[in-house]
Amino acid sequence: MGHGNSDKLYITHAEHAGYFGSHSSSTGYKAKQEAPHPGATTPFDCCALSFQPFNHPVCSRNSDGTGTVFDLVNIIPWLKQHDNTHPITKEPLAPADLVTLHYSRKEATGEIHDPISFKPFNEHSHIVAVATTGNVYLAESIKGGRDLVADIPFKKQDVITLQNPHGLPSASVPALPVTSKQTATSDKTVIAKPQSPAITSLKSKADVPWNISPYSSGLPGASLTSTSVDPQSASSKLLWDEEELMFEEISKPLKGKGKEKDIGKRRAYVRVITSLGGSLNLELFCEKAPKTCYNFLMLARTGKYDNCLFHRLVPGFMVQTGDPSGTGSGGESYWGTPFRDEHDMKNAAKHDDRGAVAMANKGANTNGSQFYVTFKATPHLDNKHTVFGKLVGGEDVLDALENIPVKSGTERPAKAVRITQVVIYQDPFEEYKMRLAKKLARRAETESGQATSIPEKKDEINWFGEKVGSGNTSLGSNAGTGGVGKYLNLKRPVQSAMTGASETKKRKTGFGDFEGW
């Protein structure tokens, strides 16, 4: 059919087989089997620790009403080794809190299915479990409030959501802790005063976020053309990332005469105190690598760099640290995931001098928490590692680090040197957050003042100068009121004087009223 090989009006066998492109109806099905579904991070029939099919499934209850499925032989050793800590949410988890799950499988194929409707589970299924019995169902099979397999009633708090890939309405209830304040306020009955309709209408309007963008989220169109998206009738706007807006604001050059010289306000200054008795004073280039500097400052504020070991030392090249595990293979960023490089930004810093501070990585866009300080200029590392600061004080400490002997055959220092504390003296990101908070507070005060102000009552006067709803005009006693009638009031006396003078000089014409006859 015109695919470059023939002019036939039908698809030939060669075209259908894929010699000239994929034209088969099973192309999408094969691609679906090869690529995992983007909405499911862990398959529904696999353990969240080993990512292998489970044989003894159990699940943990999270605070938001969801659950994580594990294999019993994998989760028990984990809990013993990590002091009863949930491997994903990092919350306390005891072995007694695990719920044993009972899946229904087909005898012939072993495929997991719903025990009520016999529908097989897949990556699109909304799968839930009942905590009291451990039976696993589709969400559509538990609407009656009774476990049909065990014939036991259950509450909505007993439902655990195991998989909800499309964000459907959850069948479980978040288990929020009840505080003493909530119990004290629940005992008191508060009667709210009725408010005026104007104030009610103003409060009913949703607050417009300050970081809203002019672009649409596309949800109404997506819900119209896709059955996997919840119906959306109202248009919605995308929201800019607040951190990205902050990074863009910090990286912008200062405007105004002489402002470009005042670069120190956009840089951070920290002191890295070491166990050698001295410290390394660093200047961070927040305007050249904003995200990298923000990651370093936030990790320092949370104490992630405290007691970190200088685990790698290459005399004449660099010294590396920032790994809390001390092995050189650990360390996460402030967001918990690797973040992008910034060595390709405009006016990016280079490895052009001794004391350059840069991020260590395992490749492109794999920055975490580890960083290094160079002992000399290393231009071969440019465009590979992000330089985000330099040494401005503590040369003697850097010399002492370089002179530490190294274990033979390795790059590990023979003497353990650690970071004791990181002290932050100036942080432009915190100053930006304070300015933004004040700006939003002023905006909220302005909007609240406009909402509570009562408009002045004006007299409603029509075009003829008469008050609406009354027979009195604005002429005479109501002089000075608004409307067109005030101009009529000014002309009325002049008009009466002219009519009086005209009556005295009026010339009689015609026959009149026949009084003289």
Side-chain angles (χ1 to χ4, degrees):
M1 294 182 63
H3 292 285
N5 60 315
S6 68
D7 294 331
K8 298 179 180 179
L9 300 181
Y10 56 90
I11 298 178
T12 63
H13 173 73
E15 293 173 345
H16 191 277
Y19 294 114
F20 305 100
S22 298
H23 307 284
S24 173
S25 59
S26 61
T27 302
Y29 176 75
K30 294 178 180 178
K32 180 180 177 182
Q33 286 185 331
E34 294 174 359
H37 188 268
T41 55
T42 305
F44 63 90
D45 58 346
C46 292
C47 173
L49 269 179
S50 62
F51 291 95
Q52 298 296 324
F54 47 69
N55 294 323
H56 307 86
V58 293
C59 82
S60 62
R61 301 191 67 174
N62 302 329
S63 58
D64 57 351
T66 60
T68 308
V69 181
F70 301 102
D71 199 324
L72 187 63
V73 298
N74 296 328
I75 188 62
I76 294 299
W78 170 277
L79 296 178
K80 290 182 179 179
Q81 185 178 1
H82 296 84
D83 298 331
N84 293 339
T85 304
H86 196 289
I88 297 176
T89 62
K90 307 302 181 183
E91 297 178 355
L93 177 63
D97 299 335
L98 298 174
V99 179
T100 305
L101 300 180
H102 304 288
Y103 285 87
S104 299
R105 296 179 180 271
K106 294 183 179 180
E107 296 181 358
T109 60
E111 185 180 19
I112 301 176
H113 64 88
D114 180 68
I116 305 302
S117 62
F118 292 94
K119 292 182 180 179
F121 291 170
N122 54 40
E123 63 270 19
H124 303 286
S125 301
H126 188 183
I127 305 174
V128 297
V130 181
T132 55
T133 61
N135 295 325
V136 183
Y137 302 92
L138 291 176
E140 60 190 23
S141 301
I142 61 168
K143 295 181 179 180
R146 176 176 289 272
D147 192 326
L148 299 180
V149 175
D151 197 17
I152 298 175
F154 61 88
K155 299 180 181 180
K156 194 171 183 180
Q157 290 80 2
D158 299 331
V159 179
I160 306 174
T161 301
L162 302 181
Q163 177 178 281
N164 190 7
H166 302 296
L168 298 174
S170 179
S172 55
V173 176
L176 298 178
V178 180
T179 60
S180 59
K181 294 183 179 179
Q182 292 177 351
T183 56
T185 55
S186 61
D187 297 337
K188 300 179 181 179
T189 303
V190 180
I191 301 176
K193 296 181 179 180
Q195 296 180 347
S196 62
I199 298 178
T200 306
S201 62
L202 288 173
K203 287 187 176 181
S204 62
K205 294 182 180 178
D207 296 335
V208 179
W210 68 272
N211 57 338
I212 192 171
S213 70
Y215 305 105
S216 173
S217 61
L219 288 178
S223 63
L224 180 65
T225 58
S226 176
T227 58
S228 63
V229 180
D230 294 339
Q232 300 285 339
S233 58
S235 61
S236 57
K237 299 291 186 180
L238 288 175
L239 296 180
W240 298 118
D241 190 352
E242 297 183 8
E243 290 184 349
E244 294 297 334
L245 291 178
M246 178 176 62
F247 300 153
E248 184 179 358
E249 182 69 22
I250 295 295
S251 61
K252 283 183 179 178
L254 298 177
K255 297 181 180 180
K257 187 176 181 180
K259 291 290 186 180
E260 64 276 0
K261 299 180 182 179
D262 194 8
I263 198 66
K265 293 183 178 180
R266 293 189 294 160
R267 293 188 175 180
Y269 296 92
V270 300
R271 171 176 288 180
V272 181
I273 303 176
T274 64
S275 59
L276 291 175
S279 59
L280 301 172
N281 299 332
L282 305 180
E283 179 184 19
L284 306 184
F285 307 142
C286 298
E287 81 283 1
K288 297 182 179 180
K291 190 163 188 175
T292 307
C293 293
Y294 184 73
N295 173 71
F296 180 89
L297 293 171
M298 295 306 296
L299 290 177
R301 286 188 182 278
T302 54
K304 298 295 184 181
Y305 286 137
D306 296 347
N307 204 29
C308 275
L309 185 71
F310 287 88
H311 60 272
R312 186 185 180 195
L313 173 63
V314 181
F317 179 41
M318 63 86 190
V319 60
Q320 186 172 334
T321 182
D323 182 10
S325 64
T327 60
S329 60
E332 291 183 345
S333 67
Y334 169 68
W335 302 276
T337 56
F339 62 95
R340 66 175 183 269
D341 294 323
E342 292 180 312
H343 52 69
D344 54 350
M345 292 184 63
K346 186 178 181 180
N347 299 324
K350 304 293 183 182
H351 299 77
D352 54 359
D353 198 1
R354 175 183 173 88
V357 184
M359 293 297 296
N361 56 36
K362 297 180 289 186
N365 303 320
T366 58
N367 298 298
S369 63
Q370 298 188 35
F371 64 95
Y372 61 89
V373 184
T374 61
F375 295 134
K376 66 175 183 178
T378 54
H380 64 281
L381 297 179
D382 292 341
N383 299 326
K384 296 180 181 178
H385 298 266
T386 302
V387 179
F388 65 96
K390 67 177 181 180
L391 186 72
V392 294
E395 288 285 346
D396 53 343
V397 178
L398 190 63
D399 295 339
L401 286 172
E402 188 176 7
N403 295 329
I404 294 177
V406 182
K407 294 181 181 179
S408 59
T410 65
E411 295 179 347
R412 300 187 67 85
K415 178 182 178 182
V417 182
R418 299 180 180 274
I419 297 177
T420 306
Q421 187 183 4
V422 179
V423 183
I424 301 175
Y425 291 101
Q426 178 174 318
D427 187 355
F429 299 103
E430 290 297 322
E431 297 175 0
Y432 169 85
K433 291 178 181 178
M434 293 175 61
R435 292 196 305 268
L436 179 61
K438 292 179 180 179
K439 180 180 178 181
L440 295 179
R442 289 195 300 267
R443 181 186 298 180
E445 291 178 0
T446 304
E447 293 178 355
S448 62
Q450 292 177 356
T452 56
S453 61
I454 301 175
E456 298 181 358
K457 186 177 181 180
K458 297 181 180 180
D459 294 335
E460 297 180 357
I461 300 177
N462 60 11
W463 190 85
F464 299 100
E466 298 179 355
K467 288 186 178 180
V468 177
S470 65
N472 300 328
T473 64
S474 62
L475 306 178
S477 60
N478 293 333
T481 58
V484 185
K486 61 183 180 180
Y487 300 106
L488 300 178
N489 190 23
L490 295 176
K491 295 180 181 180
R492 183 57 60 86
V494 179
Q495 184 178 1
S496 61
M498 292 178 63
T499 54
S502 62
E503 289 177 356
T504 58
K505 297 181 181 180
K506 186 176 181 180
R507 181 181 177 182
K508 294 182 179 181
T509 57
F511 296 99
D513 55 357
F514 301 99
E515 290 180 354
W517 289 77

